[in-house]
């Protein structure tokens, strides 16, 4: 069995467990419990593997029927060595977990239906939030309410439900590897399945992998010359509406597969539950707490201190920016906001649609050598008023590099077709590349959604990378002169129509065929009438 098959099998096994256990609980609520327990399992396994390596021959070997964790046995035998040991572990793996809070201890309490499991789990979550990591992970489990009546009306009922959930998870994944690739991909699989189950609410935290892949491939290519291939280094990558962090992880994956690396990952998320999910997702994929920073706050209000620096000399910029902001969100476009350094050179997006506000926020922090790819509704390409003025300035300044039109019904949250805008401050070409990937031959229709296949994704990325003058019914590089003549309207169908040409009809050939048919009819009628005469019947 390949690694990919094992990852898919684990993901499906976990999803079956989730469906079996959640009962009447909605997908959103159960997701938070399930993913938190998986996160604890990963942290524990990773920590215990490091402990075993660190202790070497001192690591306790327990009998099969001994249900204690080896670390708890070592703690009991070496009370005076615990403090220096934990200091060493913080230096090596960046975090510490007390033996009683390890997954092995928690799952054993679940196995024996111990009445103290709920209390112990609460203490464990608080310990991880406040003491496990050198850098604060305060509030990591703040939305995990173990006292919720959704788990049961009484303490005993809730404890019993938690015992059942944890035992099922423990038994269900016992045979699977818990390395970062296997468990990380299974985690992503679960996030996707929960997103599908949550319907419209899923847009708050999940960008489908197929679209995430397109954005990630684009921003990891050389900005000035995509044909040169992948960048070797990205100093900083930002997703200012990062959801569960999947898009950021996809960027990391793509550049590493190309032999490069990212110095530091940055994300921002307004929803507290999703913010916590993103932090867990980073750690679970093996990203050290020193390698990423996820901020909880409102992007449009620019509440993050590192992005609110007024001194241009201290401005933080990013080599790659990706985003899937909420579509056409109503926002507070107040007069004071018009003086905000992100917007004042362009004007404010209308109150009814913050799409360009999100775009300008990200674009302000894009480095001179960077690439930004953002998913937006098609309206940003042609709507008038303030949006037309913003669009016109970006085009005149040579900042809009590529417009990619995607099919409808790709998202769980909406059925509308969307586009990807690629922006740069280092664009060399005096044109805009339009890719119209919305035609039915460029995607597959599945039961719940439309899906971009591997070949569809590859075609989009290859077209962006090679920037052809024209591909019939698919792509075209359009001069600024032509765009200006169209009043800076970027409606994709104006420049790349997917309509198939009507077949050319040869009228002479058609006439010849009709004459032949008429002759055939005449001959057949005469033959038929001769038979009727022989029978003494009236002819036709």
């Amino acid at each position: 069995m390949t690694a990919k098959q094992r990852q898919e099998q684990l993901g499906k096994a976990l999803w079956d467990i989730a469906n079996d256990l959640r009962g009447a609980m909605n997908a959103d609520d159960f997701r938070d419990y399930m993913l938190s327990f998986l996160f604890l399992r990963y942290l524990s396994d990773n920590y215990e593997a490091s402990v075993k390596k660190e202790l070497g021959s001192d690591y306790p070997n327990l009998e099969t029927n001994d249900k204690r964790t080896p670390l708890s046995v070592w703690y009991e035998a070496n009370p005076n060595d615990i403090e220096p040991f934990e200091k060493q572990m913080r230096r090596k793996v960046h975090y510490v977990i007390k033996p009683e809070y390890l997954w092995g201890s928690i799952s054993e309490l679940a196995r024996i239906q111990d009445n103290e499991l709920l209390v112990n789990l609460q203490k464990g979550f608080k310990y991880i939030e406040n003491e496990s990591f050198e850098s604060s992970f305060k509030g990591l489990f703040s939305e995990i309410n173990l006292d919720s009546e959704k788990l049961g009306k009484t303490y005993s009922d809730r404890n019993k439900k938690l015992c059942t959930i944890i035992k099922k998870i423990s038994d269900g994944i016992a045979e699977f590897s818990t390395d970062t690739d296997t468990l990380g991909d299974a985690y992503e699989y679960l996030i996707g399945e929960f997103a599908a189950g949550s319907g419209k609410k899923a847009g708050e935290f999940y960008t489908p992998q197929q679209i995430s892949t397109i954005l990630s491939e684009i921003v990891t290519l050389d900005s000035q010359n995509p044909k040169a291939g992948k960048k070797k280094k990205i100093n900083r990558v930002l997703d200012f509406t990062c959801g569960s962090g999947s898009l950021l992880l996809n960027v990391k994956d793509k550049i590493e597969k190309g032999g490069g690396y990212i110095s530091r990952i940055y994300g921002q998320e307004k929803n507290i539950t999703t913010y916590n999910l993103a932090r867990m997702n980073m750690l679970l994929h093996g990203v050290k707490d020193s390698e990423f920073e996820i901020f909880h706050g409102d992007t449009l209000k620019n509440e993050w201190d590192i992005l609110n620096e007024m001194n241009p000399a201290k401005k933080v910029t990013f080599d790659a920016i990706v985003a899937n902001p909420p579509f056409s969100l109503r926002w507070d476009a107040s007069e004071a906001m018009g003086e905000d350094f992100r917007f004042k050179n362009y004007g404010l997006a209308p109150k009814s649609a913050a799409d360009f506000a999100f775009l300008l926020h990200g674009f302000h922090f894009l480095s001179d050598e960077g690439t930004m790819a953002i998913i937006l509704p098609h309206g940003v390409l042609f709507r008038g008023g303030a949006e037309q003025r913003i669009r016109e300035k970006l085009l005149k300044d040579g900042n809009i590099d590529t417009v990619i039109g995607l099919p409808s019904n790709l998202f769980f949250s909406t059925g509308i077709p969307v586009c990807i805008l690629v922006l740069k401050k280092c664009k060399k070409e005096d044109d805009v590349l339009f890719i119209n990937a919305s035609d039915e031959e460029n995607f597959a229709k599945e039961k719940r959604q439309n899906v971009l296949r591997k070949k569809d994704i590859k075609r989009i990325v290859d077209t962006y990378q090679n920037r052809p003058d024209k591909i019939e019914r698919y792509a075209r590089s359009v001069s600024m002169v032509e765009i200006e003549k169209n009043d800076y309207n970027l409606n994709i169908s104006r420049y790349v129509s997917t309509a198939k040409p009507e077949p050319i009809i040869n009228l002479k050939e058609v006439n010849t065929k009709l004459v032949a048919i008429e002759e055939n009819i005449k001959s057949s009628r005469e033959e038929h009438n001769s038979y009727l005469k022989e029978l003494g019947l009236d002819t036709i």
Side-chain angles (χ1 to χ4, degrees), residues 372-405:
M372 173 177 168
I374 182 170
I375 304 167
L376 294 169
H378 271 250
V380 300
L381 302 177
F382 54 78
R383 288 192 296 240
E387 290 180 296
Q388 181 176 358
R389 291 190 290 274
I390 295 170
R391 188 170 61 242
E392 182 175 334
K393 178 163 176 54
L394 288 167
L395 285 163
K396 284 182 175 179
D397 290 349
N399 298 138
I400 296 180
D401 179 87
T402 304
V403 180
I404 303 169

Side-chain angles (χ1 to χ4, degrees), residues 231-333:
K231 295 176 180 177
K232 292 302 175 188
K233 179 185 178 183
I234 290 177
N235 283 322
R236 302 182 191 92
V237 58
L238 169 69
D239 181 348
F240 50 81
T241 54
C242 72
S244 64
S246 301
L247 185 45
L248 286 168
L249 289 165
N250 212 327
V251 175
K252 178 178 181 289
D253 177 66
K254 295 298 177 291
I255 196 164
E256 288 177 353
K257 282 183 177 175
Y261 69 96
I262 295 174
S263 297
R264 194 163 171 81
I265 293 170
Y266 292 82
Q268 182 167 357
E269 175 53 43
K270 185 179 179 181
N271 180 290
I272 182 68
T273 305
T274 312
Y275 158 70
N276 288 331
L277 185 60
R279 293 193 290 170
M280 289 185 204
N281 207 5
M282 290 291 151
L283 292 167
L284 196 138
H285 280 83
V287 185
K288 293 184 176 66
D289 60 313
S290 58
E291 296 173 340
F292 73 91
E293 187 171 348
I294 308 291
F295 178 77
H296 176 229
D298 191 319
T299 294
L300 295 178
K301 292 179 181 177
N302 203 21
E303 297 173 335
W304 198 354
D305 286 345
I306 66 167
L307 300 184
N308 217 348
E309 177 57 59
M310 301 301 291
N311 184 348
K314 295 181 180 179
K315 177 183 172 183
V316 178
T317 60
F318 300 86
D319 293 338
I321 297 179
V322 288
N324 175 24
F327 301 150
S328 299
L329 180 75
R330 293 193 66 85
W331 74 300
D332 178 24

Side-chain angles (χ1 to χ4, degrees), residues 173-187:
I173 66 177
E175 65 188 81
F176 291 99
S177 165
T178 53
D179 63 83
T180 54
D181 286 338
T182 303
L183 200 57
D185 281 6
Y187 200 80

Side-chain angles (χ1 to χ4, degrees), residues 30-75:
F30 195 80
R31 176 198 73 207
D32 299 335
Y33 294 110
M34 184 90 176
L35 296 181
S36 296
F37 296 150
L38 278 179
F39 177 64
L40 177 59
R41 159 75 190 262
Y42 165 75
L43 283 183
S44 299
D45 282 12
N46 187 55
Y47 185 68
E48 287 184 286
S50 300
V51 165
K52 187 173 183 179
K53 187 176 179 181
E54 181 66 25
L55 293 178
S57 59
D58 290 336
Y59 187 78
N61 290 310
L62 306 183
E63 298 291 333
T64 306
N65 60 352
D66 192 337
K67 299 301 181 182
R68 295 176 298 172
T69 63
L71 188 59
S72 67
V73 174
W74 187 87
Y75 266 52

